[in-house]
Amino acid sequence: MARTKEQNEKMRNERKKMIMDAAVHLFSSKGFFATKIKDIAVEAQMAQGLVYHYYKSKDDVYYDVLHNAFEKMNEAVEGLKQLDVPAEKKIRMAIRELIKTIDISDNFNQTVRIIASATNSTAIPEKVKALLSENRDISYRIMAAIFEEGQRDGSVVGGDPYELAVAFWSFINGLAVYKATRLENFRMPSPEILYHTFLKTNEAISDT
Amino acid sequence: MARTKEQNEKMRNERKKMIMDAAVHLFSSKGFFATKIKDIAVEAQMAQGLVYHYYKSKDDVYYDVLHNAFEKMNEAVEGLKQLDVPAEKKIRMAIRELIKTIDISDNFNQTVRIIASATNSTAIPEKVKALLSENRDISYRIMAAIFEEGQRDGSVVGGDPYELAVAFWSFINGLAVYKATRLENFRMPSPEILYHTFLKTNEAISDT
DNA sequence: TAATATATTGAATGAAAGTTCAACCAATAT
DNA sequence: ATATTGGTTGAACTTTCATTCAATATATTA
């Protein structure tokens, strides 16, 4: 044998990560069709052919990117749901953290925009479409459940909870796109607008 | 001479319109890079070569599409601004009409999504980028002005008016995408959520 | 009817980009 | 030291697509 299994495994993972990082960056800013395998190879500092040693096709790279994006997003929202605090607090935290994270973390910003651009096009590969329809509703449903909980304890405004979730994610989405496309003179909106949109009480209680 | 100037003009315009209609439909659902000139020609029922009799390049078709989209959008928002009614009423009308129009008019839905997808990609042609940066802020600024007016007369909630505008358009945008991608079992959100987000009074006054 | 100008076609062209592959390199085990 | 396994390269192959173009059709005027 040549290298040990573990070493090869490790190399593979490091290489794959370099491809992923480049792909995430490029797919999020240029979209699937405008991103070329060559671009990814250059940014990941490897020969074009090597990408195909790790991925069967461009479609597969994209699939993996989107898969990771959903994993990250769904885990975050699932974690929020599991927290042992009242719905109102969950909602405040979600708003505050999402706004902050979009502002300071390129990575999360990219995650949001990859999902957004995949959702926006009917031309993406079939496999990716399937992934999308398995995942796109998850975070909507979870937020809807949290809003519903808050309506029962009286902290959340009225209306169909799923509609509230659509509004919620629309804001977050729009914010990520806005932030990404106006790098200069951009001020992140304060969370107050969203607190007011979804919550009945408007004071900044225990806002930690 | 052959045909009269006017007849040629008219034919040109009809043909151009067929190209535009096809292009709007395809660019809005698939995006710029996934849309092929062949697709446009097929949908517009003409030979591929004929597209080039009317447009210099694919970029130019896209430019024209986006140009029309901004024209439509900016006119609508400018019209709203000009109305001789209080800010609160303008805001109610905008919310109500935008939600309704996104729901029933494919055309307007496409307009919104074309602007959104152009905004989302850094890979679009240079000429289109220029058009985008000339136009993308117009409707934001107008809505911000309306919000500011409403803040002065006490009908609109506090906060930076431009941030309110960002929130406003994020929502409209998100709604258009949501509507376009979940044709089945989709219920349009009621305007109430947005009334509550931006306006201090929450009753449905003279809501015509 | 012939001449002319424009619209229209679809095949040809050429460049770009996804994918494959034969050769080369690096690291370990024998 | 050599053989072996798997990583790595970049050029070759192939397909797709924007764009061009020579040929054809159509409608108007003289």
Side-chain angles (χ1 to χ4, degrees), chain A residues 196-207:
Chain A
H196 174 251
T197 299
F198 299 108
L199 301 174
K200 281 184 175 166
T201 57
N202 206 12
E203 21 280 331
I205 319 167
S206 66
D207 201 14

Side-chain angles (χ1 to χ4, degrees), chain B:
Chain B
M1 219 187 289
R3 300 184 194 78
T4 66
K5 285 275 163 53
E6 295 72 33
Q7 279 175 317
N8 276 323
E9 180 81 14
K10 201 179 151 199
M11 283 181 94
R12 279 190 80 79
N13 288 342
E14 275 163 12
R15 278 308 209 188
K16 266 195 138 171
K17 181 163 188 333
M18 292 179 78
I19 297 173
M20 269 303 101
D21 288 348
V24 165
H25 172 237
L26 290 163
F27 284 141
S28 71
S29 63
K30 304 168 72 158
F32 175 65
F33 295 98
T35 298
K36 312 304 171 188
I37 291 289
K38 188 70 196 301
D39 300 338
I40 295 176
V42 167
E43 196 166 311
Q45 301 179 74
M46 63 183 66
Q48 199 168 346
L50 191 54
V51 175
Y52 287 87
H53 187 67
Y54 294 96
Y55 287 95
K56 202 169 102 312
S57 66
K58 184 184 169 185
D59 287 8
D60 273 31
V61 178
Y62 190 51
Y63 184 94
D64 208 10
V65 164
L66 195 65
H67 185 262
N68 291 344
F70 272 125
E71 211 160 73
K72 219 176 276 187
M73 180 64 88
N74 291 343
E75 268 170 24
V77 183
E78 185 61 38
L80 180 72
K81 180 186 167 191
Q82 300 292 340
L83 286 179
D84 191 24
V85 297
E88 175 179 358
K89 184 132 188 181
K90 285 181 188 168
I91 292 163
R92 280 180 192 278
M93 285 177 67
I95 292 169
R96 189 165 15 86
E97 289 305 314
L98 284 169
I99 290 180
K100 192 170 81 187
T101 313
I102 284 171
D103 193 25
I104 61 177
S105 156
D106 275 357
N107 203 281
F108 183 70
N109 199 306
Q110 286 163 354
T111 297
V112 174
R113 285 163 62 224
I114 281 167
I115 295 173
S117 86
T119 306
N120 260 313
S121 173
T122 60
I124 55 174
E126 284 306 319
K127 255 183 79 176
V128 175
K129 266 189 204 161
L131 180 68
L132 198 61
S133 61
E134 283 162 19
N135 283 279
R136 64 178 183 186
D137 289 328
I138 294 178
S139 53
Y140 282 76
R141 275 199 285 267
I142 295 178
M143 277 312 297
I146 295 176
F147 283 130
E148 206 175 349
E149 187 192 333
Q151 287 177 330
R152 277 195 302 269
D153 72 25
S155 59
V156 164
V157 299
D160 180 325
Y162 204 86
E163 289 181 13
L164 292 176
V166 170
F168 180 85
W169 288 116
S170 291
F171 184 81
I172 296 303
N173 215 49
L175 217 55
V177 171
Y178 200 83
K179 155 86 184 176
T181 55
R182 339 245 162 154
L183 298 180
E184 357 69 42
N185 61 13
F186 174 73
R187 289 196 329 274
M188 211 63 183
S190 82
E192 305 302 329
I193 298 171
L194 290 200
Y195 290 166
H196 174 250
T197 299
F198 299 109
L199 300 174
K200 281 185 175 165
T201 57
N202 206 12
E203 22 279 331
I205 319 166
S206 67
D207 200 14
T208 341

Side-chain angles (χ1 to χ4, degrees), chain A residues 112 169-180, chain B residues 140 166 169-171 173-174:
Chain A
V112 174
W169 288 116
S170 292
F171 283 135
I172 296 303
N173 214 48
L175 218 55
V177 171
Y178 200 83
K179 155 86 184 176
Chain B
Y140 282 76
V166 170
W169 288 116
S170 291
F171 184 81
N173 215 49

Side-chain angles (χ1 to χ4, degrees), chain A residues 16 19 37-42 44 46-58 61:
Chain A
K16 266 196 139 172
I19 296 173
I37 290 291
K38 188 71 197 300
D39 301 338
I40 296 176
V42 167
M46 64 184 67
Q48 199 169 347
L50 191 54
V51 176
Y52 287 88
H53 187 68
Y54 293 97
Y55 287 95
K56 202 168 102 309
S57 66
K58 184 185 171 186
V61 178

Side-chain angles (χ1 to χ4, degrees), chain A residues 18-111:
Chain A
M18 292 179 78
I19 296 173
M20 270 302 101
D21 288 348
V24 164
H25 172 238
L26 290 163
F27 284 142
S28 71
S29 63
K30 304 168 72 158
F32 176 65
F33 294 98
T35 298
K36 312 304 173 188
I37 290 291
K38 188 71 197 300
D39 301 338
I40 296 176
V42 167
E43 195 166 314
Q45 301 179 72
M46 64 184 67
Q48 199 169 347
L50 191 54
V51 176
Y52 287 88
H53 187 68
Y54 293 97
Y55 287 95
K56 202 168 102 309
S57 66
K58 184 185 171 186
D59 287 8
D60 274 33
V61 178
Y62 190 51
Y63 184 93
D64 209 12
V65 165
L66 195 66
H67 184 262
N68 291 345
F70 272 125
E71 210 159 75
K72 219 177 275 186
M73 180 64 87
N74 291 343
E75 267 170 25
V77 183
E78 184 62 38
L80 180 73
K81 180 187 165 189
Q82 300 293 340
L83 286 180
D84 193 23
V85 297
E88 176 178 358
K89 184 133 190 181
K90 285 181 189 170
I91 293 162
R92 280 181 192 278
M93 285 178 67
I95 292 169
R96 189 164 16 87
E97 289 304 315
L98 283 169
I99 290 179
K100 193 170 78 188
T101 312
I102 284 170
D103 193 24
I104 62 179
S105 157
D106 276 356
N107 202 283
F108 183 69
N109 200 307
Q110 286 163 353
T111 297

